[in-house]
Amino acid sequence: MFSIQTKNLKKHFDGVYAVDDLSIKIETGQITSIIGPNGSGKTTLINTLSGLLEIDGGLVVIEESEKLSKITPHEIPSFGITRTFQNIHLFEQMTILDNILVVLTDRQVFRAIFETHQTFHLKIAEEVLTRVGLWEKRGQLAVNLSYGQRKLLEIARALAMDAKIYLLDEPFAGLFPEMVKIISGIIKELKQESKTVILIEHDMGLIRELSDYVFVLDSGKLLAEGKPSEVLAKREVIEAYLGE
Amino acid sequence: MNIIPQIVANSLIAGSIYALIALGFNLVYGATRFVNMVPGALAAIGGYTVFFLFNRLGLNIYFSVIAGVVVAGFFGYLSDRLVFRKLRSHKASNLVSFVASLGIFTMLQALISILFTSQFQSVLSVTENPKTYQILGATFTWVQGLIFITSIAAFVSLALILKKTSFGKAVRAVSDDEEVSKIIGINTNRLISWIFFIGSCLIGLSGIFIGFDIGINPTMGLFIILEGATASIIGGIGNVYGGFLGAFLLGFVENFGILKIPGEWKPAIAFGLLILFLIFKPEGIMNKKK
């Protein structure tokens, strides 16, 4: 079964195709990595899948039932999708705890006005913040966290969404080895929980360690796909990375 | 005779009106990040709705006030649904949004002039013979007492909603990062329209109170939005708590300022204070320096 499929997906900027007629299938419950040199369209793909960029052509199929030619960002949680960002996005002026609690809020305006946070909200928040080691700092403003802690909070926010599909855009970038270990542990746990993880990453060691399947993009097109050990050994993939 | 208690009372009353304006202004600014002129006209709409229902039609004063607040809120909501939401979807610059708001402001102001003439109008007949109270040597009317109490109540309610409820967290989230708010499932367009409604209700209420205290005219909105923006910048633009603080600081500085100089200089004092803040502390009292 496939969590996400793209069918002839297109996204262009002023005539330059960042995602060009891309058709891929992401299998459910697996860790799928999307790799490629800078400017190959990886982040554009994630932004298109999460509705932050409009689809210019083709379709996105979610769980083989929802065929979408337009994705509205605020609707993606209802499809069981969540994401993190290459450049960390947090609610900077809110506390760590509130960064998680806001994810759990009621989306109906009138109900939300009268909804205060209940024990079960706090329990979820405690669970995810403990998982990333930030529960003790829950009262601090997000803006005051270190770079690594900010990455962890972003992951915790995604975990609190309890999604089926996680789009993780360079979650390891710029992290110390201890934090890499925490996040790779979380990604492995997500797989054990039968969640689908779509990972954008540049570190080939981590790609080999974590991925079940790899797609390689180059100039918005699919260059290669397959198991990591096979794909990373392909001549065209090496050439694309080396720019030959 | 000691005039200080009276100046303190006047400062608190002025600060209360500015606070209502600043609360509404900052709420909307926090979510949209552009200086919106429309709330100025909405204050006039609030005042004129009460004038029409109470003075012209003779309806109950409480009903008229509630109607005035809701009508101002509705126009604010409508301005977002019909204009600003579309501008957001086109990723219009802040300058374009500001010019659009100026256009709506001018249009609404002209509409009020056509419907009610440009003459100054007195809203509440009791202002001609106001019942007064005395506390610690300061005299104030019951309307002024009501303005002060309502302003504090509005601030406390808003602060509690923002801090304690899911809705408040969503509002703070949208003010902080609209893109992430969408990703976590907040329909930011719908929420911003509601923020416009609530902010416009508060500003409509300030217009009604100004009508009760001194009267209304169609161009009152410009003064209101300038005072609201000044209080907001002093306190920390986009920061609801800062705006409240800035409003009272403005009220005190203006009223103590005219102790030694003529009252006509009041606006000059306000904008002098604004310029000082813009030069020496542009982030305002409550916002952190970036």
Side-chain angles (χ1 to χ4, degrees), chain A residues 125-137:
Chain A
E126 183 176 358
E127 198 181 299
V128 295
L129 287 175
T130 305
R131 208 164 160 183
V132 298
L134 288 176
W135 176 245
E136 298 303 319
K137 294 180 184 291

Side-chain angles (χ1 to χ4, degrees), chain A residues 52 73-74 77 83 85 89 91-94 98 102 105 107 109-110 112-113 115-117 157 161, chain B residues 161 163-167 169-170 172-173 176-177 179-187 190-191 194 288:
Chain A
L52 291 180
H74 73 261
R83 68 165 292 175
F85 293 82
H89 281 257
F91 300 117
E92 306 281 352
Q93 298 304 322
M94 291 168 74
D98 281 351
V102 71
T105 57
R107 298 293 175 241
V109 169
F110 282 111
I113 287 177
E115 184 194 48
T116 52
H117 290 293
R157 189 181 63 212
M161 303 270 306
Chain B
I161 288 173
K163 183 81 184 156
K164 298 284 182 191
T165 71
S166 297
F167 176 78
K169 283 196 174 59
R172 284 158 58 206
D176 211 317
D177 193 323
E179 200 164 70
V180 185
S181 303
K182 287 177 185 168
I183 293 299
I184 64 165
I186 296 172
N187 184 339
R190 192 171 61 191
L191 187 68
W194 280 104
K288 285 184 180 169

Side-chain angles (χ1 to χ4, degrees), chain B residues 58-70:
Chain B
L59 297 179
N60 176 280
I61 183 68
Y62 298 107
F63 170 80
S64 303
V65 169
I66 292 167
V69 169
V70 173

